[in-house]
Amino acid sequence: MTAVVLALFALQLGSLVSPAWACGCGALVPGGSQQVAVGREASVVRWDGRQEQIVMRLTVSGDARQAAWIMPVPHRATATLADPKLFDALNTLTAPVHRARSHFWPQDGDWPLVSGGAGGGPPPGAVTAPGVGVVGRERLGPFDVARLTATDPDALGDWLHTNGFVLPSRLDQALQPYVDQRWEYVAIRLAPATAGTALNGALDPLHLTFAAESPVYPMRLSRLAGTPQSLGLYIFAAHRMKLSSTIGGSQPQVAYAGRVTTTSGPLAALAKGTPFLTAVNQEFPDPSRITGDHLLRRTATDATFQQVIYEDHLSKVAGVPAWLLTIGGGLAVLTTTGVLLAVRRSRRTRRPEIPPPPAFPPPPTRAPGS
């Protein structure tokens, strides 16, 4: 399964602002020295053994009026807009379960261990550079989508430069493995609905579909990121899935695993035929250590999993902490026992001694015959 999700990235500030990088599947490149940041990203991947579908939604901010995003795909892709309600349904389905749990002894935040502190216009026409083939180009909401082929990574860079975007040369080199494998590319221009305004807010979800013989998640481009990256995947398949290796990141963490029973709406439509959903998170503190693409594999069992968040509460009786009542009661018993023992001991000490009866001399004895 070619699982695709945008990886979280941050702005790099300095005397000269460098292009902001994002995602394991591609690069987000703002025009000129403008800045663009992805505040939130979400991607859904569906793989049925022959075809992959990817639904992506970005929430962006910054002063960029336009930006480009490049994603390699193993085969020719089609692009449409998706229903934003899909992500609302996924958030509800995979949300952690909250359960109450009581504790006897006070913890941080319970009295007296309170530590304080609150938590707390239409796009321009395509200009084709030598070595690049434009398979198709369409405007979908805020996206100007160009489906491309390229015989070498430099040609792809030339295409972007010709169309008005800065592409660092390092990305040309990172694309070489995909060129060697004869992958194709989806180049996406993000442009606001009103010309001249900055990109801001949640963008419409974009839905890509392409053939995929084996499940793979392209991650090579994220090694160029200058800031830590976060990977989050919603994976729809016939069975529970896993990332086969860490490829230079932290150990992947499963956030949810289970069958989808929804019968209506965009979630049900996407899950049809691939009813098992696996949500996986992974962190890349040092993106330069990324060694390749993610390969996805079926797990040994379809065991279900859902995160549980325990809300701890201090055990109380009539509003009074149970530990305080227990200790207070124990102290009261000990105090009472001590007082009783002291009183007994005191009484024994003060009891007067009864003098023995006086001794009387024995009666005189009489001699016989007297």
Side-chain angles (χ1 to χ4, degrees), residues 105-116 323:
W105 295 110
Q107 299 178 359
D108 187 22
D110 297 325
W111 182 88
L113 303 180
V114 179
S115 58
W323 70 270

Side-chain angles (χ1 to χ4, degrees), residues 230-268:
S230 292
L231 174 65
L233 299 175
Y234 290 112
I235 308 170
F236 283 97
H239 301 279
R240 178 170 171 171
M241 304 296 288
K242 66 178 180 179
L243 307 182
S244 61
S245 65
T246 61
I247 63 167
S250 64
Q251 188 66 32
Q253 299 297 319
V254 176
Y256 179 87
R259 292 191 175 275
V260 179
T261 59
T262 306
T263 58
S264 62
L267 177 57

